[in-house]
């Protein structure tokens, strides 16, 4: 039987996800939000101080860094490089988590492409499988394809940018792909993953700053959300007020085991 839908999350679930903080701005003792917090948030950008960014992201929680990550010096590269690496890592993980969270809900509810994603003799979409079970059903070569593509995106994101995020570049930016015909892998023009249709370039600086805050907060919520789904499947009842999901007997942290 197909698993029960999970798209009907309760208001409590959604409220908990919307309040998700990150490891760099977790929580201080609760205090009243400062006046005009929304207008301040709209004006804060990635170039502002750590305290200003944390307060703009969550005026009630504010800045809290118990592990001292924001003042750390990773690999003896200096604090500015470390801060850039941490900011970039959070934004990137948040984007992946948002894809995963929405994709998990879609697949769990039976939404999928209307054509096979593998050769006829290989397993394709199977009704009734949960997202982790569907991954396990993929052949090894299909999994290797996916990881190879991810590896290419990582490779280009590190080497294709003009100014690296650890050397003063903007965390979260993804470099343009080469123009058509520059290298063999780009016989045609490939859209920029950061702003494929040029919408962001037409927005005002205030709109960009406000969008950045929304992206970070949504990414934080999605990171908690996707891990909650996996935890609930692996350990039923482990997520308070969470949806009741079909138990999963596999290993979510061993992607090549099936």
């Amino acid at each position: 039987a197909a698993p029960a839908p999970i798209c009907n999350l309760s208001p409590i679930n959604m409220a908990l996800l919307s309040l998700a903080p990150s490891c760099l701005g977790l929580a201080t003792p609760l205090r009243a939000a400062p006046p005009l917090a929304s207008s301040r948030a709209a004006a804060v950008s990635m170039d502002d101080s750590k305290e200003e960014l944390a307060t703009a992201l969550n005026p009630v929680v504010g800045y809290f860094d118990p592990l001292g990550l924001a003042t750390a010096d990773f690999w003896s590269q200096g604090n500015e490089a470390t801060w850039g690496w941490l900011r970039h890592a959070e934004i990137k993980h948040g984007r992946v988590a948002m894809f995963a969270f929405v994709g998990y809900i879609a697949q769990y509810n039976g939404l999928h492409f209307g054509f096979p994603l593998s050769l006829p003799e290989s397993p394709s979409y199977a009704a009734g499988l949960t997202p982790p079970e569907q991954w396990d059903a993929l052949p090894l070569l299909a999994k290797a394809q996916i990881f190879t593509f991810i590896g290419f995106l990582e490779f280009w994101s590190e080497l294709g940018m003009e100014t690296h995020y650890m050397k003063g570049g903007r965390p979260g930016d993804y470099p343009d792909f080469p123009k058509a015909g520059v290298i063999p892998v780009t016989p045609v023009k490939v859209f920029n993953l950061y702003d494929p249709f040029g919408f962001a370039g037409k927005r005002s600086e205030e709109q960009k700053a406000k969008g950045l805050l929304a992206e970070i907060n949504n990414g934080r919520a999605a990171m908690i959300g996707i891990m909650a789904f996996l935890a609930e499947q692996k350990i039923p009842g482990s997520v308070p007020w969470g949806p009741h999901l079909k138990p999963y007997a596999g290993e979510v942290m061993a992607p090549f085991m099936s």
Side-chain angles (χ1 to χ4, degrees), residues 59 107 224:
Q107 197 280 341
I224 291 181

Side-chain angles (χ1 to χ4, degrees), residues 75-107:
W75 311 292
S76 300
Q77 297 294 310
N79 177 249
E80 289 301 319
T82 300
W83 178 244
W85 184 87
L86 290 169
R87 299 303 306 125
H88 188 79
E90 181 185 32
I91 294 172
K92 181 167 64 175
H93 282 80
R95 290 170 178 169
V96 173
M98 286 187 279
F99 272 110
F101 185 81
V102 174
Y104 190 105
I105 293 176
Q107 197 280 341

Side-chain angles (χ1 to χ4, degrees), residues 25-35 37 40 50-64:
L26 293 179
T28 54
L30 296 180
R31 61 181 183 275
R40 284 190 60 195
K50 305 173 179 66
E51 293 80 4
E52 289 175 320
L53 180 60
T55 302
L57 286 166
N58 194 325
V60 176
V61 172
Y63 179 79
F64 185 53

